[in-house]
Amino acid sequence: MYQFSISEVTYKVGFYNAKNFSNPVKIILVSYLANKKTIMNSKLFLFGLLVVLFVKCQPSQTEPLTPVLPIPDERQLDWQGMEFYAFAHFNMNTFTNMEWGMGDEDPALFNPTDFDPKQWAKVCKEAGMKGIIITAKHHDGFCLWPTATTEHSVKNAAWKDGNGDIIKEVAEAFRAEGLKFGVYLSPWDRNNPEYGTPKYVEIFRAQLRELLTNYGEIFEVWFDGANGGSGYYGGANEERRVDKKNYYDWPGTIEIIRELQPKAVIFGDAGPDVRWVGNEHGFAYPTTWSNLLRDSIYGGMPEYSKKYSSGQENGTHWVPAESDVSIRPGWYYHPYEDHKVKSLPELLDIYYNSIGRNSALLLNFPVDRTGQIHENDVTQLMKLVDKLKEDFSQKISLNSGDLSASSENGQYAVENLLSSEMGSFWSPASGEVSASVTIDFDGARTFNRFLVQENISLGQRVKSFELEVQNEKGEWQSIAKETTIGYKRILRLPDTKATAVKFTIHDAKDSPVISHLAFYDAPKLLLPPVVDRDKNGTVKLNVVEEGVQVYYSLNGKDPVQSGQVYTQALEVMHPTKLKAVTKDPISGKFSEVVEVNLQLAKKNWTVVDGGENSGNLIDEDPTTNYISDQNLATIDLGENQEVSGFTYYPMQNRYLSGLIKEFEFYTSLDGKSWKKATAGEFGNIANSPIEQRIEFDARAARYIQLKAKSTTDAEPASFAEIGVILTQ
């Protein structure tokens, strides 16, 4: 069975090669290679090698592992495996263009024109989402099901003449696709006249019983921390504050959920099963513990985000984080945000900073007034899904012979790391809180993603870890030092070429239990460069990922075929058509081409008789604003120009004000004698606040003036930017 070819320096034991052996075997082999001339005929060496091999082949003793408390229960483990699921904010606010309704809305206003929950379910399934949570009742108190507790519900809506049930249709649509269903029920109710009294708590619980009894299995019950404040309250129109910690008697409410939906996890600031991540950006933290000092927290606690949202190493209960974020700026649908759906780089950041940081991701869709997920949202979601598939498709192939550990605890051997099953894991010798795994690649390999998981059924243990790489010269270099792991940790790394990698756990609460690790070589994110131009005409072509090349043209030609390589900022003072593209130098692939019509640079412009912040009008930054009490803006172009049109960029804030609806535009050669060039209306600007472009017959002008005849909300006119179109 054993064959040694000393002349070729090869060793074979069965079907294994040397790097499969334990450390003692490797030591003997290395010693032999270093001293083969002096021990060539040593029977003692061969005898020692055979003894070690014999010991290695015997089943080693496994020391039992004691869970490090707290640990997840079965419902929490099931929830953790979902990772990615949808939020749907669809309710009265959809039809009143509000985020938080007051509770005085007419139920008849709720009237989707083409409600299609099957479309929601198909979109979510195609995206790999595992379910959905819907806003069954938001703070305004309108109920999406025909509840017996209030008249403020779909039973008095115009939709289906009051005979519809949104909850029923959504639940059925998702289950038909094999997806799970959950409910959001706001504890606050700005409509109910009993809010603030003990009677309301019974009404709230009655609503909860209806939802948990009549709509099948629920995977998550979601409670908002926002409660108490001004409201309609049956016509009282007053402010009502409650004792957030004690008013709702949460233990009694939790008991109802456990009775009716024992498999459902309960979400809230304090859980008890799943906690809020503490922000609405969709980001967990570089250090994210699933442990929480749960008994110190209550829903709506002011200091929660700063003190508790990242979890605590010494937390008393297992309450993992859920990262909730909307795909748009708002949670509810607003037509003026159709162009503000999050970009692919933003969505990728959310994914890697939530699921990649020991959190689940709850991505919200503001369902539109038709009753469907808007096409812009679907487009961006699918871009995210396609890119994630690409990122994790090029996995570095490993086999058991590639792995070695500083130590092992019997059956918890290092090769278990190749399995993605949580129950199959590596753990070092009992009691060791510092340990390492070395991965020897078959030659130099390149990777830029590292994924690692703990067996959380035994508790979250790792407190700090490091990743080192070995180059072709045999030198080791640290490329990442991090803290917690938890259910899943994903590191985005620079392109890293290595012959070996060492994963070292420096500190843990007890012997680490690592269930899986993997390396991936994700292709570059190929998006067109972002064109940034300042007032002085300086143009920068910014990319979202390092390592790509940028090509551009200033003559309207295809930058792929005849573009120049971008190396530094450009100066573009006069009207120019700029085209640009990015290229992955490894694959040779190009992004789509971005095309921007650059107008006259504003270097020599000044705002005439402008008020405070008037410089924002011509700073080439659409995120800054100028508000004019006189409802006009006058600009000196610095010298005479042949002007044939103008552009108006409206305010881009979350909440818009003073968007110009009807306008007049004037030109002048001396700033005293003015001629009207054009007048009109910016159609649908309230719903589509994008740059407006107006052309007219060419004329000489040094001064221009845009006057607001009316605004969308009767507030003073606001301006983000004004530009001019010159005659070519």
Side-chain angles (χ1 to χ4, degrees):
M1 179 177 179
Y2 303 101
Q3 176 186 348
F4 299 89
S5 174
I6 293 176
S7 61
E8 298 177 16
V9 200
T10 60
Y11 302 84
K12 297 180 181 179
V13 184
F15 294 101
Y16 294 89
N17 58 42
K19 65 181 178 180
N20 289 93
F21 297 150
S22 63
N23 289 336
V25 177
K26 289 182 181 178
I27 292 171
I28 291 177
L29 290 175
V30 171
S31 298
Y32 175 79
L33 290 173
N35 302 281
K36 63 179 181 178
K37 290 183 179 179
T38 60
I39 64 171
M40 182 78 71
N41 300 315
S42 174
K43 296 180 180 179
L44 179 62
F45 169 79
L46 293 177
F47 176 76
L49 176 59
L50 291 173
V51 168
V52 173
L53 288 172
F54 176 78
V55 172
K56 175 66 179 177
C57 293
Q58 303 308 303
S60 56
Q61 185 176 358
T62 300
E63 294 291 332
L65 291 170
T66 302
V68 174
L69 300 179
I71 61 173
D73 59 29
E74 186 176 350
R75 69 173 70 90
Q76 290 172 317
L77 284 173
D78 289 343
W79 167 86
Q80 193 84 64
M82 292 182 66
E83 290 194 357
F84 185 31
Y85 42 99
F87 217 172
H89 273 62
F90 179 60
N91 207 291
M92 180 60 72
N93 294 328
T94 308
F95 300 92
T96 59
N97 208 24
M98 300 280 285
E99 283 287 292
W100 284 13
M102 288 295 294
D104 59 349
E105 299 82 11
D106 182 352
L109 292 174
F110 185 85
N111 191 21
T113 56
D114 191 17
F115 177 61
D116 186 6
K118 293 180 180 179
Q119 183 249 5
W120 307 9
K122 289 178 180 177
V123 167
C124 291
K125 184 169 186 178
E126 187 175 347
M129 295 172 139
K130 300 299 194 301
I132 195 167
I133 298 172
I134 188 171
T135 50
K137 184 191 79 170
H138 204 251
H139 309 326
D140 56 82
F142 185 81
C143 297
L144 293 182
W145 76 102
T147 175
T149 64
T150 179
E151 294 302 303
H152 200 53
S153 79
V154 289
K155 64 186 180 184
N156 289 309
W159 178 64
K160 291 192 174 182
D161 296 323
N163 296 313
D165 186 339
I166 295 289
I167 302 300
K168 180 176 184 291
E169 292 195 34
V170 174
E172 290 177 350
F174 273 74
R175 291 201 183 95
E177 293 289 350
L179 304 178
K180 295 185 178 182
F181 179 70
V183 292
Y184 166 115
L185 185 68
S186 173
W188 188 13
D189 194 320
R190 303 173 93 175
N191 172 269
N192 201 289
E194 302 296 338
Y195 184 77
T197 71
K199 186 175 180 180
Y200 171 73
V201 177
E202 294 307 311
I203 294 171
F204 174 65
R205 288 178 174 174
Q207 293 175 348
L208 186 60
R209 285 185 180 275
E210 290 176 347
L211 290 171
L212 302 186
T213 303
N214 300 325
Y215 299 101
E217 185 173 304
I218 304 295
F219 85 90
E220 183 168 344
V221 180
W222 214 97
F223 293 129
D224 206 316
N227 50 80
S230 60
Y232 175 69
Y233 304 124
N237 290 314
E238 62 188 14
E239 184 170 298
R240 295 183 182 180
R241 297 292 176 182
V242 298
D243 179 353
K244 296 181 179 183
K245 185 175 183 179
N246 300 305
Y247 172 63
Y248 296 99
D249 180 25
W250 285 114
T253 301
I254 291 168
E255 188 177 329
I256 293 171
I257 301 171
R258 296 291 190 237
E259 171 199 344
L260 299 177
Q261 293 285 343
K263 295 183 179 180
V265 293
I266 304 169
F267 170 93
D269 288 354
D273 301 318
V274 179
R275 75 175 190 270
W276 182 40
V277 78
N279 63 73
E280 295 183 350
H281 310 309
F283 284 20
Y285 308 91
T287 299
T288 301
W289 288 98
S290 293
N291 309 333
L292 187 70
L293 294 169
R294 195 179 76 183
D295 293 340
S296 303
I297 304 167
Y298 60 88
M301 187 178 186
E303 61 270 34
Y304 171 79
S305 293
K306 292 182 179 179
K307 293 180 63 176
Y308 297 99
S309 58
S310 61
Q312 293 82 44
E313 178 185 333
N314 63 337
T316 53
H317 292 78
W318 186 271
V319 189
E322 177 186 83
S323 299
D324 59 320
V325 61
S326 185
I327 201 167
R328 294 170 176 236
W331 289 95
Y332 278 97
Y333 177 75
H334 308 290
Y336 55 78
E337 291 181 352
D338 281 349
H339 70 300
K340 291 187 176 182
V341 183
K342 285 182 170 57
S343 66
L344 176 55
E346 288 175 313
L347 291 173
L348 281 169
D349 283 345
I350 287 169
Y351 179 89
Y352 282 108
N353 287 311
S354 58
I355 291 175
R357 285 183 172 176
N358 190 34
S359 171
L361 174 56
L362 178 61
L363 181 63
N364 178 66
F365 301 114
V367 177
D368 68 23
R369 293 171 186 171
T370 68
Q372 298 185 33
I373 300 174
H374 194 278
E375 60 182 353
N376 292 6
D377 302 19
V378 176
T379 297
Q380 291 306 106
L381 172 67
M382 293 310 168
K383 286 181 181 179
L384 170 66
V385 172
D386 290 344
K387 180 54 182 165
L388 289 174
K389 288 179 180 177
E390 187 178 60
D391 280 7
F392 295 103
S393 65
Q394 298 186 30
K395 185 175 183 180
I396 306 300
S397 178
L398 300 174
N399 58 58
S400 59
D402 298 326
L403 308 178
S404 61
S406 58
S407 68
E408 296 175 346
N409 182 359
Q411 69 186 50
Y412 307 130
V414 69
E415 55 261 32
N416 293 342
L417 291 173
L418 300 178
S419 170
S420 59
E421 296 296 325
M422 186 184 297
S424 175
F425 58 90
W426 161 74
S427 186
S430 180
E432 289 188 8
V433 297
S434 178
S436 65
V437 173
T438 301
I439 302 96
D440 289 312
F441 294 140
D442 183 14
R445 303 298 298 272
T446 300
F447 65 92
N448 50 31
R449 300 288 186 274
F450 173 63
L451 181 152
V452 61
Q453 295 181 270
E454 285 185 83
N455 180 353
I456 59 171
S457 67
L458 292 169
Q460 187 177 354
R461 301 173 176 231
V462 176
K463 297 163 65 174
S464 66
F465 71 93
E466 182 177 7
L467 208 62
E468 298 171 274
V469 295
Q470 186 180 49
N471 60 27
E472 292 175 291
K473 296 180 180 179
E475 301 167 332
W476 288 94
Q477 177 186 4
S478 177
I479 60 170
K481 292 182 179 180
E482 301 292 343
T483 53
T484 51
I485 295 175
Y487 177 73
K488 183 175 286 186
R489 190 70 190 268
I490 307 173
L491 303 184
R492 284 189 289 182
L493 303 164
D495 288 340
T496 303
K497 190 175 183 180
T499 58
V501 179
K502 184 183 292 183
F503 166 64
T504 301
I505 296 168
H506 289 300
D507 195 12
K509 300 176 77 172
D510 202 341
S511 297
V513 285
I514 306 300
S515 63
H516 185 52
L517 60 75
F519 301 88
Y520 301 86
D521 185 18
K524 297 295 183 186
L525 176 59
L526 277 179
L527 291 176
V530 177
V531 180
D532 179 32
R533 187 196 199 196
D534 66 18
K535 179 181 178 180
N536 296 319
T538 302
V539 176
K540 295 180 180 179
L541 304 180
N542 300 316
V543 296
V544 298
E545 187 164 357
E546 296 180 0
V548 297
Q549 299 170 331
V550 177
Y551 294 82
Y552 72 95
S553 69
L554 297 174
N555 54 11
K557 293 185 178 181
D558 182 359
V560 175
Q561 301 297 326
S562 56
Q564 303 177 62
V565 177
Y566 174 77
T567 57
Q568 60 184 8
L570 316 169
E571 184 180 84
V572 181
M573 301 300 296
H574 300 287
T576 303
K577 178 176 287 189
L578 181 148
K579 292 185 177 182
V581 68
T582 57
K583 177 184 179 181
D584 180 355
I586 297 175
S587 68
K589 294 181 179 179
F590 287 89
S591 72
E592 296 178 352
V593 175
V594 63
E595 181 177 316
V596 179
N597 289 311
L598 299 174
Q599 300 301 327
L600 181 67
K602 301 175 183 178
K603 182 176 183 178
N604 300 317
W605 294 19
T606 56
V607 179
V608 179
D609 297 329
E612 185 179 2
N613 298 321
S614 60
N616 292 345
L617 180 62
I618 55 173
D619 64 358
E620 290 285 18
D621 182 357
T623 66
T624 63
N625 305 303
Y626 168 54
I627 297 176
S628 170
D629 291 333
Q630 298 179 340
N631 288 328
L632 60 82
T634 305
I635 297 172
D636 178 0
L637 303 179
E639 60 182 342
N640 288 354
Q641 302 286 351
E642 193 72 10
V643 177
S644 58
F646 76 96
T647 58
Y648 164 64
Y649 216 132
M651 175 186 284
Q652 296 297 298
N653 293 18
R654 169 86 181 271
Y655 300 107
L656 306 179
S657 174
L659 303 189
I660 298 175
K661 184 178 180 182
E662 297 174 295
F663 68 87
E664 292 177 344
F665 189 82
Y666 296 85
T667 62
S668 172
L669 291 171
D670 58 8
K672 299 176 181 179
S673 177
W674 294 90
K675 294 182 179 180
K676 183 187 292 187
T678 186
E681 179 181 62
F682 296 129
N684 199 36
I685 195 170
N687 294 327
S688 183
I690 60 176
E691 185 179 63
Q692 309 291 310
R693 181 184 174 94
I694 302 295
E695 297 184 4
F696 48 78
D697 293 337
R699 62 186 60 207
R702 171 167 175 167
Y703 298 86
I704 60 171
Q705 185 177 85
L706 176 60
K707 182 180 294 185
K709 298 294 292 181
S710 67
T711 62
T712 55
D713 55 2
E715 294 295 320
S718 62
F719 308 78
E721 289 292 319
I722 287 180
V724 294
I725 301 170
L726 301 188
T727 304
Q728 298 296 313

